[in-house]
Amino acid sequence: MSELAFEKGQQLPLQTFRVTRADLIRYAGASGDFNPIHWSERTAVGVGLPGVIAHGMYTMALAGRAATGWAGSADAVLDIQARFTRPVPVPDTDEGTEVEFTAVVKSVSEDGLVTFDLTAICAGEKVLAQARAMIKQI
Amino acid sequence: MPLDQSFVGRTYPPTEPYQVGREKIREFATAIGAEDALYHDVEAAQKAGYRDVVAPPTFPIILSFAAMEQIVTDPELGMDYSRVVHGDQRFAYRRPIVAGDELVVVSSIDDVTQRGGHDFLTTRAELATPAGEPVVTVWCKLVVRGHGE
């Protein structure tokens, strides 16, 4: 994907990431966020959630992967932001769930900085709002 | 009780320097499923001009999340953390974080607002080297859910 020449209005290709319970456990350990709503069904249901949900920051980390994927370089992201609007429920199955990312290029600056708006969809619902990244082109 | 607007601008003491470990970067990258060589392979990172492996974009949450403890446990602010929901998050980079970096976090409160019976608290964490080189700014908006729902 590193051959993309970005232009305003361009749709960036779909990137899909699978999320399982094991991913959330691993992320809890790596990030230090051990909030039990991300691993305990009992706790999650007890606070009114449909079940265990992904860390918002896990979904945002996937947005970061999508952004670096579109940029074609793992160190390209200069700015990334998102609002967490809906939870990403992760069922206790081998398949877990999927989050799908697409984006539209909002602007390309003269010095090669590309800003795009991301859309993140899980089970047909937008899970992030005002999700935006700025990357440098390689 | 709504959060007090007078806390806007409050800045907390710098944290002890955090040593960014190569294995921590690899562990974090693996946890988010990122296999990019720059995050794992020292040689590849050096070829790209870095001293060591590079951290993925949301890696600084490890430091900013830990540093935010100062704010959420500030007795004067009096947040009910059991009602806190993560609202927004942003990372703005001066340069990528590289293994071997030492980073100090200075947290402050950028904004306090009320809307629809909820409190919104925007925190800002400035991550810099002990020598004062700014590396990344991390904003986090927390929503403290009101009792009237």
Side-chain angles (χ1 to χ4, degrees), chain A residues 23-36 38-39 55 57-58, chain B residues 18 24 27-28 31-32 58-69 81:
Chain A
D23 294 324
L24 303 188
I25 302 287
R26 190 175 284 129
Y27 184 76
S31 69
D33 183 348
F34 291 99
N35 187 330
H38 306 305
W39 50 267
H55 305 73
M57 285 308 304
Y58 186 82
Chain B
Y18 175 98
K24 189 67 192 178
E27 178 193 6
F28 188 86
I32 64 168
T58 62
F59 181 88
I61 195 67
I62 297 172
L63 287 75
S64 61
F65 182 76
M68 207 158 58
E69 187 77 6
Y81 195 61

